[in-house]
């Protein structure tokens, strides 16, 4: 039996796996799949991470910088939703 994940857990899993991908996190795909607007809900955090040079916003995607890859787990925790 596969454990049934909550919506927030599924969103967090998506963020964790997509964050390390070359294409990054596609906020439109995330919104379409889970009705969650990452760019709006985590705007302050995303802007701060971008100012620190850890992520880049490219269109609807959030992509880790080289420095961001070094702290990918910490970035994921900042973007995660609480359950």
């Amino acid at each position: 039996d596969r454990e049934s994940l909550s919506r927030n857990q599924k969103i967090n899993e998506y963020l964790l796996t997509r964050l390390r991908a070359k294409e990054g996190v596609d906020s439109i795909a995330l919104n379409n799949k889970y009705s969650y607007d990452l760019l709006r809900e985590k705007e302050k955090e995303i802007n701060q991470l971008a100012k620190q040079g850890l992520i880049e916003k490219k269109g609807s995607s959030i992509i880790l910088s080289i420095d961001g890859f070094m702290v990918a787990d910490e970035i994921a925790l900042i973007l995660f939703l609480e359950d």
Side-chain angles (χ1 to χ4, degrees):
D1 262 312
R2 183 157 178 229
E3 173 186 344
S4 181
L5 299 177
S6 71
R7 174 180 168 269
N8 285 4
Q9 288 171 324
K10 289 177 185 176
I11 291 170
N12 290 345
E13 188 174 88
Y14 177 89
L15 289 170
L16 189 60
T17 56
R18 297 301 309 157
L19 204 52
R20 288 187 176 84
K22 189 172 88 173
E23 305 81 22
V25 175
D26 181 344
S27 63
I28 292 173
L30 181 61
N31 201 1
N32 289 341
K33 191 168 188 168
Y34 298 111
S35 298
Y36 179 69
D37 188 347
L38 176 67
L39 296 179
R40 186 173 59 82
E41 296 294 332
K42 295 286 185 168
E43 180 181 16
K44 185 175 79 174
E45 294 88 343
I46 290 167
N47 287 337
Q48 185 63 37
L49 290 166
K51 281 182 192 167
Q52 294 173 342
L54 299 174
I55 63 170
E56 297 175 30
K57 291 190 284 185
K58 290 191 177 178
S60 65
S61 293
I62 295 170
I63 301 166
L64 290 177
S65 67
I66 293 170
D67 289 340
F69 268 102
M70 305 300 274
V71 290
D73 289 343
E74 289 84 355
I75 292 171
L77 288 173
I78 291 167
L79 298 177
F80 275 4
L81 286 91
E82 293 184 28
D83 220 8

